[in-house]
Amino acid sequence: MRDYIEKVLVTSEDIQAKAKELGEKITNDYKEKDLVLICILKGGVFFLTDLAKHIELPVTIDFMAVSSYGKSAESSGVVKIIKDLDESIKGKDILIVEDIIDTGLTLSYLVENLKSREPNSVKICTLLDKPEKRKANVEVDYIGFVIPDKFVVGYGLDFAGKYRNAPFVSILKEEYYK
Ligand code: IMP
Ligand code: MG
């Protein structure tokens, strides 16, 4: 069933421990703030739910969907908002929760877009960081794991919509996307 796996890169236990660690840090950093967690669909939803359980603050949660790779494993650089936020973020403290940052093109666009809506602050929390192919300069405030430039799936991350539902992150065998 999981014959697509080249190698498990981040185990479920590693992810859970990291969600707790980052959640506690965010709890400390956002005391007295009006924190809104913005989850980027669909990949960010697994991390959002685990992370949010460790944030002991009265946060609100909103969702955004942007265009991704389609069926290719390379970033297109084209960002399109498919689903926008439900609520205004004016005056709020925004924490974007993402599954992975690769070229940075998606997040740099999103940060600029959200900043134009006059929030009090905008920060980024990503489970995975793949810094090797970065094209846009984005400041990432909370990082779970830095990983090499491999195409990974699981725990929200997909290839052509599949493999999101594993509780761990693994490298996808090349024959599955070539
Ligand atoms: P960026 O704009 O290149 O930083 O790409 C960000 C988006 O690309 C992420 O939100 C993911 O949806 C997707 N992505 C980047 N790398 C991977 C990967 O290794 N596996 C699955 N999706 C990825
Ligand atoms: Mg994606």
Side-chain angles (χ1 to χ4, degrees), residues 73-124:
E74 292 293 313
S75 183
S76 66
V78 179
V79 181
K80 193 173 124 202
I81 295 179
I82 294 161
K83 185 225 170 285
D84 209 339
L85 300 174
D86 291 337
E87 309 283 338
S88 162
I89 55 168
K90 192 168 180 177
K92 312 258 182 180
D93 293 286
I94 302 308
L95 185 61
I96 302 173
V97 180
E98 248 291 37
D99 50 2
I100 192 166
I101 173 163
D102 184 15
T103 64
L105 292 169
T106 308
L107 278 177
S108 71
Y109 170 84
L110 268 182
V111 166
E112 287 318 305
N113 180 292
L114 294 177
K115 277 186 177 164
S116 74
R117 306 179 193 197
E118 300 176 50
N120 187 50
S121 65
V122 180
K123 290 195 173 182
I124 295 171

Side-chain angles (χ1 to χ4, degrees), residues 2 21 27-28 30 45 47 65 71 94 113 143 165:
R2 284 174 170 156
E21 179 193 321
T27 303
N28 277 320
Y30 283 88
V45 77
F47 186 40
K71 287 190 176 151
I94 302 308
N113 180 292
I143 298 172
N165 57 315

Side-chain angles (χ1 to χ4, degrees), residues 43 68-69 99 156 158 164:
S68 61
Y69 293 170
D99 50 2
D158 71 300
R164 285 191 204 280

